[in-house]
Amino acid sequence: MAARGLVALRTVARAAGPARCQHAYPRSGHLFRSSFIAHCTCLRHTASVPVGVSSRRGLHSRPIVQAEASKSNGSSNGDHANYDFDLFTIGAGSGGVRASRFAAQNYGAKVAVCEMPFDLVASDQKGGAGGTCVLRGCVPKKLMVYGGEFAQAFKDSQGFGWDVAEPGLTWERLMQNKNKELDRLNGVYMKLLNNAGVKYIEGRGTLVDAHTVEVGGKQYTAKTILIATGGRAVKLPIDGAEHAIISDEVLNLPSRPKKMAVIGGGYIGLEFAGIYNNYGTEVHVVYRQPLPLRGFDEECRHFISEQYQVSGLNIHSESTPTCIEKQSNGSFTLHVKKKSGGEETIEGLDTVLMATGRSPNTQNMNLEEIGVELGPKGQIKVDGFNQTSVPSIYAVGDVTDRVNLTPVALMEGMAFAKNVFGGDPEAKAEYDAIASAVFSSPPLASVGLSEEQAIEQYGDVDVFTSSFKPMKNTISGNEGRGFMKILVDAKTDTVIGVHMIGPDCAEIMQGFAVAVKMGVKKKQLDRVVGIHPSSAEEFVTMRAPTKEVRDKQPVGSSA
């Protein structure tokens, strides 16, 4: 889903300038749903947390930060006399582009953005307009998810009377079509900036001082600087790590591997495991925890772990990778140590993917030298208004390691533009009830709190669950099952968490995110007429709780 830093705590009188009460949030991911507290250390703990604000992305548990920073409104519309630009943004990913476009197009600011040349694999010298999500994350991943789903559809169709010849896969055509779309999207993002009147400067940006950015040997001054450089994948420091690839590269393999290992039990690892499993690769998933997707609802983790094995994944839980060994025939052997003390080898691997986390892109930018405070992971510390410890410098998105989700970066970028250039001193991102999805096979989607978080925060919780075989699977022979869960604050009847595992869960959860955000009551859900036949109707037909918790203990428990 990191400490939230701030500028100086306000010690001056309000007369000294416009006052803003600021608090920060958690990106992960995350959750993304309950991601908020998950990613923050804090200056001051809050006594209570609103719905959806809690720990997650296995992105997981940090408290909310609240503080005030001394700063003026910051609006600089038309004030170009002393600077080349009102705003200079480093990074043309989702958050940076959104902030820059709105500042220029809606509020009349003079804006420049710098970004490195486009490439499918990021490096210190390569990037591209669109950023991680568009070029080497959410978008290409989802395209490959769609493609892999056809494999199960071909199998399922036989139960419905279709006689389907063994389908063939032309991997090269998949890669060509995917990359063509990414190239188009890169151009779309550049066009968006151009149409908004934003100057696009190609190259790597570094800070010279609080108002100066250097790109390609040329210096540009700005009244306000925004850092939106995102994050990058990191590898485990084990022997043979150089033989492993990261998520950028697994999206661009020249051929489909016959056998691969995925190291990591988070959402990125499980998504790619599902993708390649669907395309016919023998996939082994290795992670240290007993269950995958740390930070998600525990019951959901148990259920989806079983479903991953039903789908054909080879799960190696409670296993710690120790070494990747390259063999004389070009294949790889992954050595792992089991929690029980034994050792295991996975041999004959074409590919080893390390999906073992991401870190903020703050290296070699001269940040700390000019006074920008960083956290232990290298994340930029900001307050609730995205301001760093240097008043003229702000940051949004994954580089701050709060809720590391593209829609959150967009929200932060818009809030920044409204706050600094739109004259709205109270504009800030809201981190409660953020929905998220894991596009694995099967997928999982959530909004609000997990059961564990709900019990800890509310004490009295009613739990409603339903496990079922989707209608489509009844005659197809598909053994996959679905799962739904609603968590209710028993004192107020407020729905504080919704979870689903199964097809179309992301589409369904988006609608429930609106309801949870608005504070829907369980009795209101009970009055809704379901759409029949559909999986979604289960959410409005669960009448009796499967579990009741009072004073943090299950009813009937002797604990």
Side-chain angles (χ1 to χ4, degrees):
M1 223 217 50
R4 296 292 311 268
L6 7 140
V7 232
L9 290 176
R10 179 178 295 279
T11 55
V12 297
R14 288 191 177 273
R20 305 181 192 175
C21 185
Q22 355 213 357
H23 42 277
Y25 144 91
R27 270 162 350 85
S28 28
H30 309 71
L31 305 95
F32 4 72
R33 79 193 169 72
S34 42
S35 300
F36 191 52
I37 333 189
H39 293 298
C40 317
T41 25
C42 75
L43 287 186
R44 188 171 69 202
H45 293 259
T46 57
S48 62
V49 183
V51 171
V53 178
S54 170
S55 127
R56 166 157 183 213
R57 224 184 216 222
L59 291 207
H60 330 305
S61 214
R62 331 172 201 181
I64 302 175
V65 176
Q66 293 188 323
E68 293 183 341
S70 177
K71 60 186 181 221
S72 63
N73 178 271
S75 180
S76 59
N77 302 9
D79 179 17
H80 313 313
N82 299 321
Y83 303 101
D84 298 324
F85 299 99
D86 296 321
L87 171 65
F88 196 107
T89 300
I90 303 176
S94 299
V97 168
R98 177 63 60 89
S100 300
R101 283 177 56 213
F102 270 69
Q105 204 164 31
N106 291 25
Y107 306 124
K110 185 178 181 182
V111 183
V113 172
C114 73
E115 178 58 72
M116 296 180 292
F118 170 55
D119 199 288
L120 294 173
V121 178
S123 68
D124 287 340
Q125 302 300 325
K126 298 289 185 179
T132 297
C133 176
V134 173
L135 303 178
R136 55 193 74 89
C138 323
V139 172
K141 171 202 70 185
K142 193 66 180 292
L143 292 174
M144 293 182 71
V145 167
Y146 285 139
E149 289 174 346
F150 284 103
Q152 188 62 55
F154 292 140
K155 296 176 185 176
D156 291 348
S157 68
Q158 297 177 44
F160 290 90
W162 291 93
D163 294 318
V164 181
E166 185 68 26
L169 173 67
T170 304
W171 185 263
E172 294 79 7
R173 184 163 71 243
L174 168 65
M175 291 293 105
Q176 289 169 4
N177 290 341
K178 172 186 66 70
N179 293 343
K180 182 179 179 181
E181 173 63 6
L182 300 184
D183 189 63
R184 184 188 73 84
L185 291 173
N186 174 244
V188 166
Y189 269 71
M190 295 181 71
K191 187 175 181 180
L192 287 171
L193 291 168
N194 182 67
N195 289 347
V198 176
K199 181 178 178 62
Y200 188 85
I201 302 169
E202 191 167 82
R204 177 181 174 83
T206 57
L207 293 168
V208 176
D209 58 40
H211 293 281
T212 308
V213 178
E214 182 172 308
V215 185
K218 185 174 181 180
Q219 294 188 356
Y220 303 88
T221 61
K223 183 173 184 179
T224 302
I225 294 171
L226 176 66
I227 301 171
T229 49
R232 64 175 66 192
V234 295
K235 292 182 179 182
L236 293 177
I238 63 173
D239 290 342
E242 67 276 10
H243 301 310
I245 62 174
I246 59 172
S247 55
D248 291 18
E249 297 160 311
V250 80
L251 286 164
N252 295 285
L253 295 179
S255 60
R256 179 187 64 83
K258 293 180 180 179
K259 185 176 181 179
M260 72 183 296
V262 176
I263 300 175
Y267 75 97
I268 294 176
L270 271 306
E271 286 177 340
F272 283 116
I275 288 170
Y276 278 89
N277 180 56
N278 287 339
Y279 278 115
T281 298
E282 179 186 332
V283 180
H284 294 256
V285 186
V286 178
Y287 49 84
R288 291 177 290 187
Q289 298 296 317
L291 295 168
L293 300 175
R294 183 178 60 181
F296 284 88
D297 181 90
E298 197 75 5
E299 190 173 13
C300 289
R301 295 175 72 196
H302 277 280
F303 187 92
I304 204 167
S305 179
E306 295 171 358
Q307 293 301 302
Y308 286 151
Q309 295 177 74
V310 169
S311 73
L313 291 181
N314 299 280
I315 302 295
H316 303 259
S317 60
E318 298 185 301
S319 301
T320 300
T322 57
C323 175
I324 302 171
E325 185 180 2
K326 187 171 184 178
Q327 306 300 324
S328 58
N329 63 359
S331 69
F332 301 101
T333 298
L334 176 62
H335 298 265
V336 302
K337 184 175 182 179
K338 305 295 288 184
K339 184 179 180 180
S340 60
E343 295 188 358
E344 181 182 13
T345 59
I346 306 172
E347 301 177 337
L349 298 166
D350 303 308
T351 303
V352 179
L353 167 66
M354 277 199 188
T356 48
R358 298 178 64 82
S359 64
N361 264 330
T362 53
Q363 302 88 346
N364 304 316
M365 291 184 64
N366 207 38
L367 290 166
E368 291 184 293
E369 287 79 357
I370 66 168
V372 175
E373 187 178 356
L374 304 181
K377 292 176 60 179
Q379 75 273 21
I380 297 177
K381 292 185 176 184
V382 294
D383 63 16
F385 294 92
N386 303 297
Q387 190 177 44
T388 73
S389 51
V390 176
S392 60
I393 299 176
Y394 293 72
V396 298
D398 289 9
V399 75
T400 64
D401 194 35
R402 290 175 287 180
V403 184
N404 297 332
L405 295 170
T406 296
V408 173
L410 295 173
M411 173 177 64
E412 291 169 352
M414 280 184 59
F416 160 80
K418 289 179 182 179
N419 179 255
V420 178
F421 297 99
D424 184 350
E426 300 305 320
K428 64 169 65 178
E430 297 180 4
Y431 297 95
D432 64 306
I434 296 173
S436 67
V438 180
F439 292 102
S440 56
S441 297
L444 178 156
S446 299
V447 64
L449 304 178
S450 68
E451 180 179 337
E452 296 71 37
Q453 295 160 351
I455 292 171
E456 181 62 29
Q457 293 186 30
Y458 291 89
D460 295 353
V461 177
D462 290 334
V463 181
F464 300 78
T465 62
S466 177
S467 174
F468 57 93
K469 176 175 281 194
M471 179 182 285
K472 185 178 179 181
N473 292 358
T474 57
I475 65 173
S476 68
N478 188 329
E479 294 299 320
R481 296 182 61 81
F483 179 76
M484 293 179 172
K485 185 170 189 175
I486 298 174
L487 300 161
V488 179
D489 173 15
K491 292 186 178 75
T492 65
D493 196 45
T494 303
V495 176
I496 54 178
V498 182
H499 309 269
M500 179 177 175
I501 296 168
D504 303 317
C505 62
E507 307 294 337
I508 293 170
M509 197 57 59
Q510 183 65 82
F512 277 94
V514 176
V516 173
K517 181 76 172 178
M518 295 179 70
V520 68
K521 306 293 185 178
K522 180 62 168 63
K523 63 184 178 182
Q524 292 174 318
L525 287 186
D526 292 342
R527 294 201 299 265
V528 173
V529 177
I531 298 173
H532 183 75
S534 69
S535 294
E537 68 179 313
E538 289 288 320
F539 275 127
V540 296
T541 58
M542 289 188 273
R543 297 287 189 259
T546 53
K547 182 195 300 185
E548 295 179 346
V549 178
R550 298 295 182 266
D551 294 325
K552 299 186 179 182
Q553 295 296 329
V555 173
S557 171
S558 59

